[in-house]
Amino acid sequence: MVQSIGHKFKIGVFISGRGSNLKNLLDFSKKNRTNWKISLIISNKKNANGIKYAQKYKIPYKIFENKIQIFEKKSLIILKKKKINLIFLTGFMRILSKRFIKKLKIKILNIHPSLLPKYKGINTHERVIKNREKFTGCTVHYVTSKLDSGRIIIQKKLRIYKKDNPKTLSKKILLLEHQSYPEALQKICN
Ligand code: GRF
């Protein structure tokens, strides 16, 4: 359980690209009474589409297009300054170091488009179809320095039909992802 007494949990979101999970969380917190708010967005790509949501919703954001060590150093300073309680990775395409995770002392969550521990890494939908799996899904889990590992918080399952392909799976799983992150927050921010 994440601790934050007397005020909302402050969430930091790390992005690299599209940012649909970020947008979904921002929309969710506008429409619902939440005990958390997105207080900082960090991107490692200056042309990440998600930055436009930071601008639209007037959320402070930083772009650190550096090698991972410098990225982590700069992130650590701003995360501490903003007193962030929890970090969400949404399509963040870097592996954070053990040192950073240890120094940060707050929980980091990630969302992955497969039923972990199966299909870690990229091109999950292609591999799932190739292996003729009957089910796939998405997983919200705590982050460790090992790729797509760490304790599972929420997992949502989806049946794969004969007519499915990587594109249809990707669409359906994204909808599941958009339910999963708000649910995970509900679960851990009490
Ligand atoms: C999602 O499919 C997530 O599972 C994976 O990267 C994608 C990010 O999408 N880790 P978005 O940037 O949130 O739209």
Side-chain angles (χ1 to χ4, degrees):
M1 189 99 40
V2 182
Q3 299 276 314
S4 178
I5 302 159
H7 54 79
K8 290 193 178 203
F9 294 92
K10 291 172 135 198
I11 314 284
V13 181
F14 283 19
I15 58 167
S16 298
R18 183 175 55 183
S20 75
N21 277 286
L22 168 66
K23 179 183 182 297
N24 179 63
L25 283 169
L26 290 166
D27 287 341
F28 185 90
S29 66
K30 263 213 147 171
K31 289 186 200 136
N32 299 277
R33 277 186 77 179
T34 61
N35 61 350
W36 52 266
K37 65 172 190 175
I38 295 179
S39 306
L40 178 68
I41 294 160
I42 300 182
S43 174
N44 69 328
K45 296 270 178 229
K46 68 171 182 289
N47 55 0
N49 183 62
I51 293 168
K52 76 175 185 216
Y53 304 124
Q55 292 163 339
K56 184 176 166 204
Y57 285 80
K58 300 193 168 47
I59 311 290
Y61 68 94
K62 293 278 176 197
I63 300 164
F64 300 139
E65 276 197 316
N66 307 97
K67 285 193 176 151
I68 193 71
Q69 273 155 318
I70 309 291
F71 173 91
E72 289 180 341
K73 209 172 171 185
K74 289 182 175 174
S75 298
L76 207 59
I77 294 170
I78 184 85
L79 289 164
K80 295 224 161 154
K81 193 171 157 207
K82 297 256 177 208
K83 297 191 168 46
I84 299 296
N85 306 110
L86 186 67
I87 294 176
F88 273 19
L89 309 184
T90 64
F92 180 66
M93 300 304 282
R94 305 300 289 270
I95 298 177
L96 298 168
S97 73
K98 218 177 198 168
R99 196 164 163 265
F100 175 76
I101 297 169
K102 209 174 157 191
K103 271 198 161 178
L104 200 57
K105 294 191 186 97
I106 58 172
K107 301 274 186 215
I108 308 173
L109 271 63
N110 182 40
I111 192 154
H112 184 75
S114 81
L115 295 172
L116 290 175
K118 289 176 106 175
Y119 302 101
K120 298 175 181 179
I122 58 169
N123 301 326
T124 50
H125 310 313
E126 285 79 359
R127 289 185 284 144
V128 158
I129 296 272
K130 204 174 161 205
N131 289 347
R132 297 176 195 276
E133 294 282 1
K134 287 200 166 44
F135 293 95
T136 183
C138 68
T139 308
V140 178
H141 64 96
Y142 288 109
V143 169
T144 67
S145 56
K146 286 199 185 126
L147 178 70
D148 298 327
S149 302
R151 189 153 60 84
I152 291 173
I153 301 163
I154 280 183
Q155 199 156 58
K156 286 190 187 287
K157 208 169 168 179
L158 186 86
R159 166 125 215 160
I160 303 176
Y161 295 97
K162 277 213 173 101
K163 59 177 194 279
D164 275 318
N165 55 50
K167 218 172 162 184
T168 61
L169 284 189
S170 144
K171 267 193 179 170
K172 289 191 226 177
I173 289 175
L174 196 62
L175 292 179
L176 281 189
E177 289 189 23
H178 291 172
Q179 296 166 17
S180 302
Y181 246 158
E183 272 184 43
L185 268 171
Q186 202 64 19
K187 203 171 164 183
I188 63 173
C189 292
N190 271 315

